Amino acid sequence: MKLVDEIYNTFKYHFSADEEDMYPIVYGLMEAKSREEIFEQLEELSNEELNEMVTLFILEQLQRKLAEEGIGRVTLGQDYTDDFIQ
């Protein structure tokens, strides 16, 4: 995606691998764009890129809801039968 490449090339030396470093920069850049500008950039995405974006958004929202409600299963790659976070 062209926007990702532009952000990466501009800020790559300001980012660490930590999402917390990237979030405020990306959020600020997106907040400055109009709805129309955002939709124009979405139009440039392939179907695969758009599906990936929407999938990641939905997963993030589901994780947030689970965290807010204090439910969810902690597995850390292992099977912890009936170990729930509450």
Side-chain angles (χ1 to χ4, degrees):
M1 178 179 190
K2 181 180 169 186
L3 178 61
V4 173
D5 292 338
E6 290 173 3
I7 294 170
Y8 177 78
N9 289 327
T10 303
F11 294 99
K12 65 182 168 186
Y13 298 111
H14 300 279
F15 292 145
S16 69
D18 189 353
E19 180 180 325
E20 290 180 16
D21 287 348
M22 292 181 240
Y23 185 85
I25 292 172
V26 174
Y27 187 85
L29 292 170
M30 296 309 296
E31 188 176 43
K33 293 186 178 296
S34 70
R35 185 177 183 93
E36 291 77 22
E37 289 173 314
I38 292 170
F39 280 122
E40 285 174 14
Q41 291 178 321
L42 290 176
E43 287 289 329
E44 296 174 6
L45 297 178
S46 69
N47 285 342
E48 184 179 340
E49 290 171 321
L50 186 58
N51 285 337
E52 181 179 356
M53 178 183 287
V54 173
T55 299
L56 291 172
F57 174 79
I58 291 170
L59 290 172
E60 174 68 27
Q61 295 303 307
L62 289 171
Q63 289 172 342
R64 184 176 294 172
K65 283 185 148 315
L66 288 169
E68 286 171 357
E69 294 184 16
I71 59 175
R73 183 181 300 268
V74 176
T75 61
L76 302 174
Q78 299 174 3
D79 183 20
Y80 293 100
T81 307
D82 297 326
D83 288 344
F84 290 92
I85 298 174
Q86 295 197 3

